[in-house]
Amino acid sequence: MDMVHLGYLYAIAVGIVAAGTVGSMWALATGESPRFSLLLEPSMIAPLRALAVVAYAPLMLLFAAWHFVGNAIVGMLLVVASLGWSFLQGVFILTLFFGFT
């Protein structure tokens, strides 16, 4: 495995860790876990809810894939979407906050 593949895996890991951190902090602050249905409820903190849901989405998709274990096609599509989202989130975090290029 060369360094490029390790960089991809590192970006995916950073995205998953960031999603878990945001989800845990949201649950600690509000007493509920982030979910897509929060986007439908109007309130003054709707922008914060949207940020929490977008940041936590890779783990939501990964947990949804666990429920579709019996249907391999849907489960694998959800896993691929989750890993792709966490990769993009990890690249965003690594380039914006840590200056990786």
Side-chain angles (χ1 to χ4, degrees), residues 50-97:
L51 285 174
V53 168
V54 167
Y56 187 66
L59 282 181
M60 280 192 286
L61 292 173
L62 205 56
F63 292 145
W66 184 256
H67 293 294
F68 287 100
V69 170
N71 190 349
I73 294 173
V74 174
M76 282 295 113
L77 285 174
L78 286 170
V79 167
V80 167
S82 170
L83 294 179
W85 196 322
S86 65
F87 171 76
L88 293 175
Q89 187 169 320
V91 167
F92 177 77
I93 290 168
L94 289 172
T95 55
L96 185 67
F97 296 113

